[in-house]
Amino acid sequence: MLSVQGEYPTFRGVETHCEELYSDLVKKDNVNVTVVRRSAYANETKGLENYKGVHLKTIYSPKNRFLEAIVHTFLAIIYAGVKRPDILHIHAIGPALFTPFARLLGLKVVVTHHGPDYERQKWGKAAKRFLKLGEWAGVKFANKVIVISKVIGESIKNKYGRHDYDLIHNGVPVAKRITRQTILTSLLYSPINMFLPLAGLFLKKALII
C-alpha cells in the first residue's frame, strides 16, 4: 500500500503525479496500491472505492488550512500501521513530518520531496517552520528519498548529508503520434517551427523537453 496525503483523483500537481504513478504500477507491475485521501476533499467522489485499479481509502481531515495535513497524516499512518503495507509512500515535506512515527511503527517509508514549500509566500512563519521540520524528518528518517529535480537533490545533500536519494523527474503520459497537419498548423496555415510551453514553474523544479 502506498499513501498520498491529498485530494485524489483531481487535476492538482502532486495528486496528478500520484494518479499517473500508481495507475501505472497497478497496470504494468500488478502492484496492490491503496491511496489514502482527505475526507475534506472527497465530497464529489465520496462513494468511489477504486480508480484506475487503485484502491481508495478516505480518512477524516478537518477542513482547516493549518490542521488538515497534520491530523490526516497522523490518522493515515495509524491506518497504515494496522494494515502493515510493504511500503508507505509519503508525498511532500508537510506530511513527511510524521516519518519518524511511521518508522517507530515498523513501516518502511519512501518520501517523495516535491519541493521546498516553505519558500512560497503563501505560508506564514509558523507554517514555514513546520514545513522545514517536515523536510528534515522526511529526509533524515525515510528508508528512501525521491526528489523530482537535481536542485532539490543537491539541496538535501548539502543540508542533511543525504547522498543516497533517487532522482525521478515528473513525467507526462506518452502522447499518440499525429500527422503533420495538426490542429495548430491548420489554424495558422503555416508549418510550426516553434514550441511554446505554458506552465507554472518553481525555481527548485525543472521543465525538461
Side-chain angles (χ1 to χ4, degrees):
M1 181 187 77
L2 299 95
S3 173
V4 56
Q5 319 300 326
E7 181 182 0
Y8 183 101
T10 187
F11 297 101
R12 295 170 59 190
V14 174
E15 288 76 20
T16 300
H17 167 103
C18 294
E19 179 182 336
E20 296 295 336
L21 170 65
Y22 296 152
S23 59
D24 259 15
L25 283 173
V26 170
K27 183 178 179 180
K28 297 178 180 178
D29 299 305
N30 197 30
V31 177
N32 184 18
V33 180
T34 297
V35 164
V36 181
R37 58 185 188 157
R38 298 178 189 176
S39 63
Y41 298 98
N43 292 329
E44 294 184 6
T45 56
K46 192 174 182 180
L48 192 64
E49 296 181 353
N50 191 287
Y51 182 75
K52 293 185 177 180
V54 177
H55 304 293
L56 303 180
K57 174 64 179 179
T58 303
I59 288 182
Y60 171 75
S61 66
K63 200 161 187 179
N64 180 288
R65 180 180 176 185
F66 302 103
L67 293 177
E68 65 181 44
I70 296 173
V71 173
H72 178 263
T73 305
F74 177 73
L75 295 176
I77 290 176
I78 290 177
Y79 173 78
V82 173
K83 292 296 183 179
R84 312 308 301 173
D86 295 317
I87 298 172
L88 176 70
H89 193 179
I90 298 176
H91 288 266
I93 59 175
L97 177 67
F98 289 90
T99 303
F101 176 48
R103 293 297 306 277
L104 283 173
L105 295 178
L107 299 170
K108 292 181 180 178
V109 182
V110 175
V111 169
T112 294
H113 193 323
H114 288 272
D117 294 330
Y118 48 78
E119 293 184 357
R120 299 184 183 180
Q121 293 182 353
K122 68 176 183 178
W123 299 114
K125 290 183 179 180
K128 287 181 178 181
R129 291 193 192 99
F130 165 80
L131 291 167
K132 287 180 180 179
L133 186 60
E135 180 184 62
W136 170 82
V139 172
K140 281 289 188 180
F141 292 96
N143 296 91
K144 293 295 293 184
V145 175
I146 297 171
V147 298
I148 64 166
S149 75
K150 291 181 180 179
V151 177
I152 297 172
E154 287 297 312
S155 174
I156 66 170
K157 182 173 70 175
N158 295 333
K159 283 196 282 188
Y160 309 110
R162 184 92 193 213
H163 295 261
D164 64 337
Y165 61 84
D166 289 304
L167 171 60
I168 304 176
H169 295 292
N170 287 337
V172 295
V174 177
K176 293 182 180 179
R177 286 187 173 274
I178 57 176
T179 60
R180 292 186 63 184
Q181 189 66 17
T182 62
I183 295 175
L184 284 176
T185 52
S186 65
L187 291 173
L188 296 171
Y189 298 102
S190 63
I192 297 175
N193 297 315
M194 291 193 307
F195 174 70
L196 175 64
L198 299 177
L201 299 176
F202 297 96
L203 294 177
K204 295 294 178 72
K205 299 185 180 182
L207 177 64
I208 299 175
I209 301 175

